[in-house]
């Protein structure tokens, strides 16, 4: 019995290592920048009944438990007894996968002595899926690209060339998308091989016993973590910019002896633009927000995730029905941890961060294709390019700690080198610096946003794809802290651009993107004088802001630039 | 100012080369590794080894170096004048970076980009940790300055350098008493003229201030890594220069007649002059010695695929060694805020032996987490208070305590008898901290600790193998360092490895490895090229420049030796983010070379990832040329005096994983193995500094050279 416990622990460690290896294999072979640079992928291993027992910790929480649920959809479509060794299933159904058509999920059953013992699943964001391309401009799912229902991609080791041909005919970068598809197949294989070695090494016939051990332990630990918080219900609301009109996100969070329940009743209805969120994605970012504060070190699996129950009314923007457009679901999805924090802060004042920029501020630029209002033939002769500069604002101030400046949260994206972007496009960057005074004032200051300035290096027109928020509704401060600076998008000619949708950057003008700052926490007047002085020395705040927001007297410093 | 004086001083040595002279025909080679706590000194006189270990004199490391060298010279009855070769490794640069004890350093960047070095990659290294703190940049915002200038990705000047701003800045730097300046402009690796002109002005106006250029130190694309690297170089330069200058003078005073050399992170040695110019390349030189030592043993035994495994008191390090060459990487992270957590440190891009460090050593602490799981490491009890069994006040159970409980260590002779182990204390702590929470006995608890740590190390090795495209089960494990021989068979079993070598110098530090290091230098430049349409002339011009640069630096150390050049290209499929290093054959790059390069890339990619993507264009990002001399042909030291034979009379009771009970096993010495031929486990082999565990699944014998060779028994298929 006791030996069994030790062996189960060793196997649990190994399973986590196996899915990490699976994820590494995917990261290194994938083509989409979202996968590679943002870690926009997931990898996990499941029991034959579809319960996830281990998942790799990767760069973005968007797939946390959305992929966990997707395997059950696969098994409904293809029951395990209809599958054989060498089969691989796939889908990009947003409602059965991870929330938009760009995410391809593949599932590979693993057989040990002819018996199915597990399934490996992995998801990545492909570089292109046809349709309008990235951005929230689609109005229906059909605008957004190729839809692949759950289907068998590899039949007992034989790849379905017809499926692959259809995919390649519908996307802009067929060779790279093919590479991404095959990367998914290969990474599941890596996982499967390691699992079979493990079964032999420990002389196991299946994973059921160890699976139960993992799920039970995780569930118990998660419940204990929940019970260490006060029981009760708390409500919060948060307004976001929306595509063209403000939208309300409303939540009621309940902590009880039996777990956590979040209800998004009262949130806005879905809209005719690609900012809608499917339920699985709502679940993903909501549970992530919870897990940041409750049970952060408990591995992700069906046991720990099962303690969290989430409801969102069908037809709301957080449970958008087919055939709503969903491509840019991250804009609103990434706000959900803030919604969760706003509830939990009431349960434990002084122990929860303030709101941050939260939504990524990726700058998507393309050129050399036909642009409205520009001579079609002429634009087609210009250099063709498409780049994404992953960019972020500031995170909310934290208990006893300032917010992180220009840091991704809740996403875990890494940016792409400016020099790399300049080497593969005609874009020239002119500025990328902290945005002074953008961090919300507070006893703990919100993280700063940044200012990015760029232009087309050959003075040609190019297209900007905007998918940003917190322009009209900045990150709020908490417990006396002030709001962070709102985001801002302008041209050097003075014109203000919209935070959402495709727009032209005219020849010769510079695009100036100012990302939002994080909210402050606590009364700014109680901020340590030394912290204010340091912020002044580092010019993170101006002398005026020190005086007006913090009541700091100007004569104590005379730093100039 | 010290640096310029030092450079002049070293110039006097030019042309002396590495002489091989000795009065009695025996060559005396000395290696010194200045570590954070200890300075290790090893001398080979012919094949006789002398060594010393003394406390590092942190305020003036040269003192311990001189004392230590004098000590080994005394042992052999020699003087400094008898030294034929001296190689120095130092953690001075590493420690200055980690402890933030470098120079007052300014960083000058292109106007508009003051914060790139702090913004970094905008990510978080720990996904669920909302309270994480990022590593502080070496140069904080108030010490970062900007100048108007801009060169674009094609190397064209978009905004000419505003020289008057540089002049004005020089005044400010002088007023603020900066000791060192780093310059890092955008795209400077393509066109360094603005950085060079800026440096010229500053050197002119600020004599005595050291100036580092990103286009010299790290001429590679990716601004964050380049700025971080040049900042680190500038930050440690005055300190390293001062130390090397003082050391050089004292060595000369003591009568050293040969120029000393420095060990670099990439596994080659270089001149002091070059070490002062690029001190950032001296970071992590100590651990490199261990990998070189393992490479040398691999070569001695003709083992083409080796996994080196070095386990000491706080960490374990593994490194793949193919055809006697340690795997080299071009990136390294220092000062990780979270131990061993990728991304939590600051990057430097230098050629570095690709060691994976795991928080697993004799002092690693075992505890039960709130999921009732046993966790071991990465926290370490270190040597003070150390493990519970040291009886020095340590209260937390460690791996050493578990090994003592299992009967694997002789309490009286641990670490050469320097520490007496209190096994009863260890047992009580194990029972309390591990056994009781898990509901198991003390022996089972101890075994669980060693199993978990072996599993942790095996997992790290497997992931590293996957990243490197290697089949780890086809490798031979070479295990050294105080703790490795105890854990080697379990690690090997978990990795499917069937052969383990425990070198007779297993307990010796990495200093010995320095002696086999060749003189080498890697020059690098990023130069973006699509392979479907390369500019042959430009590539050849670049390769020629890099070759001249690398050869020149190597020849400064050794004018007479023949220098071989190894070219390689960092390639990827268009659109990918990771590059693969592929060797470039032939001295001249042409259509034929291109076809060969393409084929080799496809082959390497297949090996790494299982498939190639033949319809996707291939792009080159960076080009490197490594100039290297042949590694010195030095006999491996003869085995030291082994412990006397026991003839298997001695026995020890230890707890067996396989039998789940206590069993009696023979205690043998190397002398027994040498004389007795092949023996089957379970047994232990004791050395003055280490103990080797041979379990039921392995046999042990002695190689001709005196190393222990452990091989999996043929009938023993399953790893468990």
């Amino acid at each position: 019995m006791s030996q069994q416990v030790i062996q189960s622990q060793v196997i649990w460690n190994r399973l986590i290592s196996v899915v990490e290896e699976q994820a590494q294999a995917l990261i290194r072979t994938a083509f989409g920048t979202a996968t590679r640079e943002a870690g926009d992928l997931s990898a996990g291993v499941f029991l034959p009944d579809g319960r996830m027992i281990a998942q790799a910790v990767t760069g973005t929480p968007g797939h946390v438990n959305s992929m966990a649920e997707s395997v059950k959809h696969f098994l409904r479509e293809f029951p395990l007894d209809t599958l054989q060794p060498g089969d691989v299933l796939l889908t990009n159904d947003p409602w059965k996968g991870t929330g938009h058509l760009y995410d391809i999920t593949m599932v590979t059953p693993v057989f040990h002595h002819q018996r199915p013992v597990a399934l490996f699943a992995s998801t990545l964001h492909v570089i292109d899926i046809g349709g309008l391309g990235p951005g929230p401009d689609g109005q229906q799912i059909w605008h957004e690209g190729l839809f692949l229902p759950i289907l068998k991609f590899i039949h007992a080791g034989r790849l379905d060339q017809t499926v692959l041909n259809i995919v390649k005919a519908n996307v802009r970068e067929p060779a790279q998308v093919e590479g991404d598809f095959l990367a998914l197949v290969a990474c599941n294989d890596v996982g499967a091989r390691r699992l079979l070695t493990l079964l032999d090494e420990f002389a196991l016939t299946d994973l059921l016993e160890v699976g139960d051990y993992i799920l039970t332990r995780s569930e118990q630990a998660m419940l204990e973590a929940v019970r260490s918080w006060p029981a009760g219900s708390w409500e919060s609301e948060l307004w976001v910019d929306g595509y063209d009109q403000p939208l309300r996100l409303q939540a009621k969070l309940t902590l009880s002896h039996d777990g956590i329940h979040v209800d998004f009743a009262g949130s806005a209805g879905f809209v005719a633009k690609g900012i809608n969120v499917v339920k699985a994605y709502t679940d993903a970012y909501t549970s992530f927000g919870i897990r940041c504060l409750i049970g952060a070190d408990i591995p992700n699996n069906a046991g720990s995730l099962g303690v969290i129950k989430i409801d969102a009314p069908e037809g709301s923007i957080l449970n958008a029905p087919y055939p709503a457009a969903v491509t840019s679901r991250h804009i609103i999805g990434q706000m959900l941890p803030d919604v969760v924090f706003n509830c939990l802060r009431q349960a434990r004042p002084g122990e929860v961060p303030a709101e941050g920029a939260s939504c990524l501020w990726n700058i998507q630029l393309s050129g050399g294709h036909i642009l409205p209002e520009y001579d079609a033939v002429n634009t087609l002769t210009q250099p063709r390019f498409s780049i994404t500069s992953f960019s972020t604002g500031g995170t909310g101030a934290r208990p006893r700690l300032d917010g992180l400046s220009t840091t991704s949260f809740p996403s875990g994206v890494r940016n792409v080198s400016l020099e790399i972007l300049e080497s593969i496009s005609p874009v020239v960057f002119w500025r990328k610096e902290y945005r002074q005074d953008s961090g919300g004032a507070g006893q703990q200051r919100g993280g700063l946003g940044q200012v990015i300035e760029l232009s087309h290096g050959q003075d040609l027109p190019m297209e900007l794809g905007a998918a940003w928020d917190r322009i009209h509704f900045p990150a709020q401060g908490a417990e006396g802290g002030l709001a962070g600076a709102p985001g801002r998008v302008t041209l050097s000619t003075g014109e203000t651009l919209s935070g959402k949708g495709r727009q032209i950057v005219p020849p010769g003008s510079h695009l100036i993107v100012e990302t939002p700052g994080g909210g402050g926490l606590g009364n700014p007047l109680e901020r340590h004088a030394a912290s204010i002085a340091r912020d002044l020395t580092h010019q993170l705040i101006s002398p005026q802001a020190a005086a007006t927001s913090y009541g700091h007297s100007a004569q104590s410093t005379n730093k100039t630039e | 100012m010290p640096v310029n004086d030092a450079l002049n001083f070293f110039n006097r040595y030019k042309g002396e080369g590495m002489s091989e002279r000795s009065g009695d025909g025996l060559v005396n080679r000395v290696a010194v590794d200045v570590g954070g706590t200890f300075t290790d000194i090893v001398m080979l006189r012919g094949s006789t080894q002398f060594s010393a270990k003394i406390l590092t004199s942190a305020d003036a490391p040269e003192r311990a170096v001189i004392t230590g060298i004098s000590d080994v010279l005394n042992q052999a009855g020699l003087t400094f004048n008898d030294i034929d070769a001296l190689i120095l490794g130092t953690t001075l640069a590493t420690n200055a970076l980690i402890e933030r004890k470098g120079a007052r350093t300014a960083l000058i960047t292109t106007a508009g980009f003051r914060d790139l070095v702090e913004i970094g990659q905008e990510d978080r290294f720990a996904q669920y940790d909302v309270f994480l703190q990022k590593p502080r940049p070496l140069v904080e915002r108030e010490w970062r300055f900007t100048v108007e200038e801009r060169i674009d990705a094609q190397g064209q000047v978009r905004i000419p350098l505003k020289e008057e701003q540089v002049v004005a800045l020089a005044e400010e730097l002088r007023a603020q008493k900066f000791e060192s300046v780093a310059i890092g402009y955008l795209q400077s690796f393509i066109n360094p003229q603005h950085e060079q002109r800026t440096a010229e002005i500053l050197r002119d106006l600020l004599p005595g201030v050291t100036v580092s250029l990103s286009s010299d130190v790290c001429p590679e694309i990716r601004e964050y890594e380049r700025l971080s690297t040049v900042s680190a170089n500038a930050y440690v330069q005055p300190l390293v220069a001062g130390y090397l200058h003082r050391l050089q003078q004292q060595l000369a005073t003591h009568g050293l007649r040969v120029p000393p050399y420095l060990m670099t992170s990439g596994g080659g040695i270089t001149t002091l002059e070059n070490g002062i110019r690029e001190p950032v390349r001296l970071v992590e030189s100590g651990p490199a010695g261990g990998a070189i030592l393992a490479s040398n043993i691999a070569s001695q035994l003709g083992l083409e695929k080796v996994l080196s495994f070095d386990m000491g008191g706080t960490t374990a390090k593994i490194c793949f060694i193919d055809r006697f060459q340690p795997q080299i990487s071009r990136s390294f992270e220092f000062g990780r805020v979270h131990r061993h957590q990728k991304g939590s440190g600051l990057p430097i891009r230098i050629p570095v032996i690709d060691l994976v460090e795991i928080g697993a050593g004799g002092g690693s602490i075992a505890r039960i987490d709130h999921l009732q799981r046993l966790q071991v490491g990465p926290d370490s009890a270190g040597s003070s208070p150390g493990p519970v069994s040291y009886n020095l006040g340590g209260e937390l159970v460690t791996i050493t305590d578990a090994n003592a409980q299992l009967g694997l260590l002789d309490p009286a002779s641990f670490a050469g008898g320097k520490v007496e182990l209190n096994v009863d204390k260890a047992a009580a702590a194990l029972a309390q901290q591990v056994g009781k929470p898990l509901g198991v006995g003390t022996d089972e608890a101890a075994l669980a600790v060693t199993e978990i740590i072996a599993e942790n190390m095996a997992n790290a090795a497997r992931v590293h193998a996957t990243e490197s495209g290697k089949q780890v089960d086809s490798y031979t494990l070479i295990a050294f360092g105080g703790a490795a021989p105890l854990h080697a068979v379990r690690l090997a079993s978990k990795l499917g490895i069937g052969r383990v070598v425990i070198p007779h110098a297993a307990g010796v530090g990495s200093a010995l490895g320095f002696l086999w290091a060749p003189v080498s230098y890697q020059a690098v430049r990023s130069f973006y090229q699509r392979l479907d349409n390369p500019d042959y002339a430009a590539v050849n011009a670049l390769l020629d420049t890099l070759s001249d640069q690398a050869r020149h630096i190597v020849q400064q150390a050794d004018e007479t030796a023949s220098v071989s050049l190894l070219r390689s290209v960092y390639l990827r499929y268009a659109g990918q983010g990771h590059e693969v290093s592929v060797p470039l054959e032939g001295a001249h790059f042409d259509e034929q070379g291109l076809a060969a390069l393409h084929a080799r890339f496809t082959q390497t990619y297949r090996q790494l990832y299982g498939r190639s993507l033949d319809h996707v264009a291939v792009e080159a990002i960076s080009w490197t040329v490594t100039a290297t001399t042949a590694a010195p042909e030095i006999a491996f030291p003869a085995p030291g005096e082994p412990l006397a034979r026991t003839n298997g009379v001695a026995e020890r009771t230890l707890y067996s994983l396989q039998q789940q009970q206590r069993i009696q096993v023979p205690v043998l010495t190397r002398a027994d193995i040498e004389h007795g031929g092949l023996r089957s486990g379970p047994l232990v082999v004791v050395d003055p500094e280490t103990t080797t565990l041979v379990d039921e699944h392995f046999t042990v014998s002695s190689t001709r050279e005196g190393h222990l060779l452990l091989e999996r028994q043929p009938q023993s298929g399953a790893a468990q």
Side-chain angles (χ1 to χ4, degrees), chain A residues 14 21 36 398 408 418-419 422 432 539, chain B residues 114 122 124 132 150 223 226 455 466 575:
Chain A
R14 181 78 63 87
E21 231 182 302
R36 223 181 45 220
R398 305 166 294 170
S408 56
L418 302 180
E419 290 175 343
E422 289 188 345
K432 182 178 174 74
Q539 297 168 342
Chain B
R114 182 181 180 188
E122 304 183 41
R124 288 172 300 122
L132 69 79
R150 188 69 164 89
E223 61 281 1
R226 191 170 70 251
E455 187 68 21
T466 301

mmCIF file of all heavy atoms in Angstrom, chain A residues 14 21 36 398 408 418-419 422 432 539, chain B residues 114 122 124 132 150 223 226 455 466 575:
data_model
loop_
_atom_site.group_PDB
_atom_site.id
_atom_site.type_symbol
_atom_site.label_atom_id
_atom_site.label_comp_id
_atom_site.label_asym_id
_atom_site.label_seq_id
_atom_site.Cartn_x
_atom_site.Cartn_y
_atom_site.Cartn_z
ATOM 1 N N ARG A 14 6.375 11.643 -13.532
ATOM 2 C CA ARG A 14 6.750 11.247 -14.890
ATOM 3 C C ARG A 14 5.706 11.729 -15.897
ATOM 4 O O ARG A 14 6.039 12.214 -16.972
ATOM 5 C CB ARG A 14 6.905 9.727 -14.965
ATOM 6 C CG ARG A 14 7.312 9.216 -16.331
ATOM 7 C CD ARG A 14 8.780 9.406 -16.603
ATOM 8 N NE ARG A 14 9.600 8.653 -15.678
ATOM 9 C CZ ARG A 14 9.957 7.379 -15.853
ATOM 10 N NH1 ARG A 14 9.603 6.740 -16.946
ATOM 11 N NH2 ARG A 14 10.694 6.758 -14.969
ATOM 12 N N GLU A 21 7.322 17.276 -22.284
ATOM 13 C CA GLU A 21 8.092 16.884 -23.456
ATOM 14 C C GLU A 21 7.236 17.001 -24.719
ATOM 15 O O GLU A 21 7.686 17.466 -25.760
ATOM 16 C CB GLU A 21 8.557 15.436 -23.277
ATOM 17 C CG GLU A 21 10.017 15.222 -23.506
ATOM 18 C CD GLU A 21 10.377 13.757 -23.368
ATOM 19 O OE1 GLU A 21 10.136 13.168 -22.300
ATOM 20 O OE2 GLU A 21 10.901 13.213 -24.330
ATOM 21 N N ARG A 36 4.562 29.592 -31.167
ATOM 22 C CA ARG A 36 5.981 29.608 -30.867
ATOM 23 C C ARG A 36 6.332 30.667 -29.842
ATOM 24 O O ARG A 36 6.993 30.412 -28.863
ATOM 25 C CB ARG A 36 6.692 29.920 -32.163
ATOM 26 C CG ARG A 36 7.879 29.124 -32.440
ATOM 27 C CD ARG A 36 8.402 29.618 -33.738
ATOM 28 N NE ARG A 36 8.401 31.066 -33.754
ATOM 29 C CZ ARG A 36 8.066 31.783 -34.795
ATOM 30 N NH1 ARG A 36 7.681 31.213 -35.910
ATOM 31 N NH2 ARG A 36 8.121 33.091 -34.746
ATOM 32 N N ARG A 398 -0.102 44.942 -6.998
ATOM 33 C CA ARG A 398 -0.313 43.723 -6.225
ATOM 34 C C ARG A 398 -0.084 44.004 -4.745
ATOM 35 O O ARG A 398 0.633 44.939 -4.394
ATOM 36 C CB ARG A 398 0.652 42.650 -6.736
ATOM 37 C CG ARG A 398 0.488 42.443 -8.239
ATOM 38 C CD ARG A 398 1.630 41.667 -8.846
ATOM 39 N NE ARG A 398 2.894 42.374 -8.812
ATOM 40 C CZ ARG A 398 4.063 41.813 -9.122
ATOM 41 N NH1 ARG A 398 4.113 40.542 -9.477
ATOM 42 N NH2 ARG A 398 5.173 42.522 -9.081
ATOM 43 N N SER A 408 2.823 40.642 -19.992
ATOM 44 C CA SER A 408 1.586 39.972 -20.340
ATOM 45 C C SER A 408 0.958 39.315 -19.123
ATOM 46 O O SER A 408 1.614 38.614 -18.370
ATOM 47 C CB SER A 408 1.859 38.921 -21.419
ATOM 48 O OG SER A 408 2.850 38.034 -20.977
ATOM 49 N N LEU A 418 12.165 43.289 -32.274
ATOM 50 C CA LEU A 418 11.912 44.334 -33.279
ATOM 51 C C LEU A 418 12.825 44.129 -34.481
ATOM 52 O O LEU A 418 12.427 44.364 -35.624
ATOM 53 C CB LEU A 418 12.182 45.724 -32.685
ATOM 54 C CG LEU A 418 11.397 46.130 -31.442
ATOM 55 C CD1 LEU A 418 11.796 47.533 -31.004
ATOM 56 C CD2 LEU A 418 9.905 46.075 -31.724
ATOM 57 N N GLU A 419 14.051 43.744 -34.210
ATOM 58 C CA GLU A 419 15.003 43.556 -35.320
ATOM 59 C C GLU A 419 14.571 42.410 -36.228
ATOM 60 O O GLU A 419 14.754 42.478 -37.448
ATOM 61 C CB GLU A 419 16.415 43.309 -34.760
ATOM 62 C CG GLU A 419 16.986 44.568 -34.124
ATOM 63 C CD GLU A 419 18.336 44.349 -33.444
ATOM 64 O OE1 GLU A 419 18.695 43.191 -33.165
ATOM 65 O OE2 GLU A 419 19.020 45.349 -33.191
ATOM 66 N N GLU A 422 11.685 43.786 -38.278
ATOM 67 C CA GLU A 422 12.188 44.682 -39.329
ATOM 68 C C GLU A 422 12.881 43.899 -40.450
ATOM 69 O O GLU A 422 12.888 44.339 -41.594
ATOM 70 C CB GLU A 422 13.167 45.704 -38.730
ATOM 71 C CG GLU A 422 12.479 46.748 -37.860
ATOM 72 C CD GLU A 422 13.395 47.882 -37.415
ATOM 73 O OE1 GLU A 422 14.636 47.749 -37.534
ATOM 74 O OE2 GLU A 422 12.874 48.902 -36.951
ATOM 75 N N LYS A 432 9.948 52.426 -28.575
ATOM 76 C CA LYS A 432 9.333 51.398 -27.740
ATOM 77 C C LYS A 432 9.885 51.645 -26.351
ATOM 78 O O LYS A 432 11.025 51.290 -26.041
ATOM 79 C CB LYS A 432 9.694 49.989 -28.225
ATOM 80 C CG LYS A 432 9.030 48.872 -27.398
ATOM 81 C CD LYS A 432 9.385 47.494 -27.945
ATOM 82 C CE LYS A 432 8.863 46.372 -27.067
ATOM 83 N NZ LYS A 432 7.417 46.135 -27.150
ATOM 84 N N GLN A 539 12.100 58.240 -13.615
ATOM 85 C CA GLN A 539 11.186 58.942 -14.525
ATOM 86 C C GLN A 539 9.999 58.085 -14.948
ATOM 87 O O GLN A 539 9.499 58.189 -16.058
ATOM 88 C CB GLN A 539 11.956 59.458 -15.746
ATOM 89 C CG GLN A 539 13.005 60.480 -15.337
ATOM 90 C CD GLN A 539 13.987 60.825 -16.435
ATOM 91 O OE1 GLN A 539 14.117 60.083 -17.396
ATOM 92 N NE2 GLN A 539 14.654 61.941 -16.291
ATOM 93 N N ARG B 114 15.052 53.400 -24.826
ATOM 94 C CA ARG B 114 15.753 53.380 -23.540
ATOM 95 C C ARG B 114 15.429 52.141 -22.710
ATOM 96 O O ARG B 114 16.248 51.690 -21.907
ATOM 97 C CB ARG B 114 15.329 54.646 -22.786
ATOM 98 C CG ARG B 114 15.987 54.842 -21.453
ATOM 99 C CD ARG B 114 15.437 56.122 -20.813
ATOM 100 N NE ARG B 114 16.028 56.364 -19.511
ATOM 101 C CZ ARG B 114 15.613 57.317 -18.682
ATOM 102 N NH1 ARG B 114 14.620 58.105 -19.036
ATOM 103 N NH2 ARG B 114 16.186 57.481 -17.516
ATOM 104 N N GLU B 122 8.594 40.748 -22.249
ATOM 105 C CA GLU B 122 7.232 41.080 -21.813
ATOM 106 C C GLU B 122 6.471 39.894 -21.250
ATOM 107 O O GLU B 122 5.250 39.945 -21.139
ATOM 108 C CB GLU B 122 6.411 41.735 -22.944
ATOM 109 C CG GLU B 122 7.073 42.979 -23.513
ATOM 110 C CD GLU B 122 6.260 43.690 -24.586
ATOM 111 O OE1 GLU B 122 5.043 43.810 -24.440
ATOM 112 O OE2 GLU B 122 6.879 44.136 -25.578
ATOM 113 N N ARG B 124 6.016 36.376 -18.467
ATOM 114 C CA ARG B 124 6.185 35.974 -17.078
ATOM 115 C C ARG B 124 6.725 34.553 -17.081
ATOM 116 O O ARG B 124 6.214 33.696 -17.783
ATOM 117 C CB ARG B 124 4.849 36.012 -16.339
ATOM 118 C CG ARG B 124 4.339 37.435 -16.071
ATOM 119 C CD ARG B 124 2.930 37.432 -15.517
ATOM 120 N NE ARG B 124 2.042 36.787 -16.470
ATOM 121 C CZ ARG B 124 1.310 35.723 -16.191
ATOM 122 N NH1 ARG B 124 1.321 35.213 -14.991
ATOM 123 N NH2 ARG B 124 0.557 35.181 -17.120
ATOM 124 N N LEU B 132 5.084 37.238 -8.839
ATOM 125 C CA LEU B 132 6.498 37.097 -9.221
ATOM 126 C C LEU B 132 7.154 38.454 -9.400
ATOM 127 O O LEU B 132 6.513 39.464 -9.702
ATOM 128 C CB LEU B 132 6.637 36.250 -10.485
ATOM 129 C CG LEU B 132 6.169 36.776 -11.835
ATOM 130 C CD1 LEU B 132 7.171 37.740 -12.455
ATOM 131 C CD2 LEU B 132 5.982 35.602 -12.774
ATOM 132 N N ARG B 150 19.761 56.156 -36.232
ATOM 133 C CA ARG B 150 18.976 54.965 -36.583
ATOM 134 C C ARG B 150 19.533 54.351 -37.852
ATOM 135 O O ARG B 150 19.687 55.031 -38.874
ATOM 136 C CB ARG B 150 17.505 55.337 -36.774
ATOM 137 C CG ARG B 150 16.575 54.125 -36.953
ATOM 138 C CD ARG B 150 16.443 53.325 -35.650
ATOM 139 N NE ARG B 150 15.310 52.415 -35.673
ATOM 140 C CZ ARG B 150 15.362 51.141 -36.121
ATOM 141 N NH1 ARG B 150 16.495 50.656 -36.572
ATOM 142 N NH2 ARG B 150 14.271 50.392 -36.115
ATOM 143 N N GLU B 223 17.532 42.339 -30.244
ATOM 144 C CA GLU B 223 18.064 43.465 -29.478
ATOM 145 C C GLU B 223 18.113 43.214 -27.969
ATOM 146 O O GLU B 223 19.046 43.650 -27.309
ATOM 147 C CB GLU B 223 17.264 44.735 -29.787
ATOM 148 C CG GLU B 223 15.765 44.705 -29.434
ATOM 149 C CD GLU B 223 14.907 43.965 -30.444
ATOM 150 O OE1 GLU B 223 15.473 43.452 -31.423
ATOM 151 O OE2 GLU B 223 13.680 43.886 -30.258
ATOM 152 N N ARG B 226 21.097 41.063 -27.098
ATOM 153 C CA ARG B 226 22.346 41.755 -27.386
ATOM 154 C C ARG B 226 22.616 42.852 -26.357
ATOM 155 O O ARG B 226 23.735 42.995 -25.853
ATOM 156 C CB ARG B 226 22.317 42.349 -28.805
ATOM 157 C CG ARG B 226 23.682 42.835 -29.254
ATOM 158 C CD ARG B 226 23.731 43.212 -30.726
ATOM 159 N NE ARG B 226 22.987 44.412 -31.008
ATOM 160 C CZ ARG B 226 21.836 44.458 -31.671
ATOM 161 N NH1 ARG B 226 21.312 43.361 -32.152
ATOM 162 N NH2 ARG B 226 21.213 45.588 -31.867
ATOM 163 N N GLU B 455 14.344 10.364 -10.346
ATOM 164 C CA GLU B 455 13.280 10.635 -11.308
ATOM 165 C C GLU B 455 13.370 12.087 -11.814
ATOM 166 O O GLU B 455 13.265 12.345 -13.016
ATOM 167 C CB GLU B 455 11.931 10.375 -10.627
ATOM 168 C CG GLU B 455 10.721 10.458 -11.526
ATOM 169 C CD GLU B 455 10.630 9.340 -12.561
ATOM 170 O OE1 GLU B 455 11.251 8.277 -12.365
ATOM 171 O OE2 GLU B 455 9.952 9.540 -13.580
ATOM 172 N N THR B 466 15.156 15.437 -25.794
ATOM 173 C CA THR B 466 14.148 15.760 -26.803
ATOM 174 C C THR B 466 14.469 17.091 -27.481
ATOM 175 O O THR B 466 14.414 17.219 -28.698
ATOM 176 C CB THR B 466 12.751 15.854 -26.151
ATOM 177 O OG1 THR B 466 12.466 14.612 -25.534
ATOM 178 C CG2 THR B 466 11.686 16.156 -27.183
ATOM 179 N N GLY B 575 9.601 31.630 -41.138
ATOM 180 C CA GLY B 575 8.440 31.732 -40.262
ATOM 181 C C GLY B 575 8.640 31.091 -38.904
ATOM 182 O O GLY B 575 7.894 31.367 -37.979
#
